[in-house]
């Protein structure tokens, strides 16, 4: 028997594009994001770390159902899984730079766990709500971009809109903590 994968074709838009085109309210964006978190948490309970969460890897169907895609750089953790994942060497970057956690951008594969996906989800939430990333690393040399992600705190969401102050701001800041021990457990 030859192993094979069967994948569903997903006809949808990237998360942020879907939210903007449909002029979703803050509440609707949060509800949609919650469903994304549930999907990622499901993968985590199965021992899979995505390692490249970003809006273009989260498509939303016409009926508003988010689908997390592209597990091409995912890693299986724990257990006796027969799945083989790409071995990551120290110093090798895997993922999309603006959404990478500090430990990912440092090239420390042994430090990448479900909390790295939590960081990426924090960056996605930040972008979904504000229209911008928590760190502007566009066009910056890799060492400078890595330094910013590792050392510079993201702005507070409340700076962009007063409606984000309080719980939403605290949740995003907690997900975007530099120290993975201070982030939510994935």
């Amino acid at each position: 028997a030859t192993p094979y994968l069967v994948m569903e074709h997903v006809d949808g838009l990237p998360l942020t594009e879907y939210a903007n085109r449909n002029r979703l309210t803050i509440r609707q964006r949060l509800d949609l994001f919650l469903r994304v978190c549930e999907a990622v948490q499901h993968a985590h309970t199965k021992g899979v770390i995505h390692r490249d969460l970003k809006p273009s890897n989260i498509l939303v169907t016409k009926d508003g159902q988010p689908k997390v895609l592209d597990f091409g750089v995912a890693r299986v953790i724990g257990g006796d899984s027969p799945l083989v994942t790409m071995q990551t060497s120290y110093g090798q970057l895997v993922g999309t730079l603006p959404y990478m956690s500090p430990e990912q951008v440092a090239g420390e594969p042994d430090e990448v766990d479900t909390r790295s996906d939590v960081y990426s989800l924090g960056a996605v939430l930040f972008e979904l709500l504000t229209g911008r990333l928590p760190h502007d690393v566009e066009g910056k040399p890799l060492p400078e971009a890595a330094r910013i992600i590792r050392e510079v705190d993201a702005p507070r969401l409340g700076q962009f809109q007063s409606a984000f102050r309080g719980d939403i701001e605290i949740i995003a800041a907690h997900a975007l903590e530099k120290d993975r021990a201070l982030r939510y457990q994935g």
Side-chain angles (χ1 to χ4, degrees), residues 99-131:
Y99 302 92
M100 282 185 183
S101 66
E103 59 275 13
Q104 262 181 297
V105 81
E108 300 171 358
D110 293 341
E111 301 296 314
V112 174
D113 60 19
T114 57
R115 294 169 292 184
S116 295
D117 279 354
V118 168
Y119 183 94
S120 297
L121 284 170
V124 169
L125 175 62
F126 195 99
E127 184 177 13
L128 182 63
L129 294 176
T130 67

Side-chain angles (χ1 to χ4, degrees), residues 43-66:
H44 289 172
T45 63
K46 300 294 183 193
V48 177
I49 304 168
H50 191 283
R51 300 196 304 173
D52 196 20
L53 291 167
K54 58 186 175 183
S56 63
N57 281 344
I58 304 165
L59 296 187
V60 183
T61 62
K62 290 179 179 118
D63 63 350
Q65 183 61 41

Side-chain angles (χ1 to χ4, degrees), residues 14-166:
L15 179 69
T16 50
E17 186 177 339
Y18 177 88
N20 293 337
R21 274 202 193 170
N22 290 285
R23 296 193 170 132
L24 298 185
T25 64
I26 292 170
R27 180 72 191 171
Q28 291 169 319
R29 288 169 191 256
L30 292 172
D31 288 342
L32 184 60
F33 184 73
L34 178 61
R35 287 185 280 149
V36 170
C37 291
E38 289 169 349
V40 172
Q41 201 258 339
H42 177 75
H44 289 172
T45 63
K46 300 294 183 193
V48 177
I49 304 168
H50 191 283
R51 300 196 304 173
D52 196 20
L53 291 167
K54 58 186 175 183
S56 63
N57 281 344
I58 304 165
L59 296 187
V60 183
T61 62
K62 290 179 179 118
D63 63 350
Q65 183 61 41
K67 304 275 186 170
V68 178
L69 309 174
D70 195 0
F71 284 81
V73 297
R75 188 172 95 195
V76 177
I77 54 172
D80 296 323
S81 174
L83 296 174
V84 177
T85 57
M86 180 171 51
Q87 179 64 35
T88 308
S89 305
Y90 279 91
Q92 179 184 12
L93 292 182
V94 175
T96 303
L97 189 62
Y99 302 92
M100 282 185 183
S101 66
E103 59 275 13
Q104 262 181 297
V105 81
E108 300 171 358
D110 293 341
E111 301 296 314
V112 174
D113 60 19
T114 57
R115 294 169 292 184
S116 295
D117 279 354
V118 168
Y119 183 94
S120 297
L121 284 170
V124 169
L125 175 62
F126 195 99
E127 184 177 13
L128 182 63
L129 294 176
T130 67
R132 57 171 280 188
L133 288 160
H135 297 100
D136 180 14
V137 295
E138 179 90 22
K140 295 199 172 24
L142 181 58
E144 176 61 9
R147 184 197 65 75
I148 290 169
I149 291 169
R150 284 191 329 267
E151 298 174 10
V152 177
D153 288 332
R156 303 288 288 191
L157 279 176
Q159 292 176 228
F160 298 93
Q161 193 173 337
S162 61
F164 299 148
R165 292 191 183 118

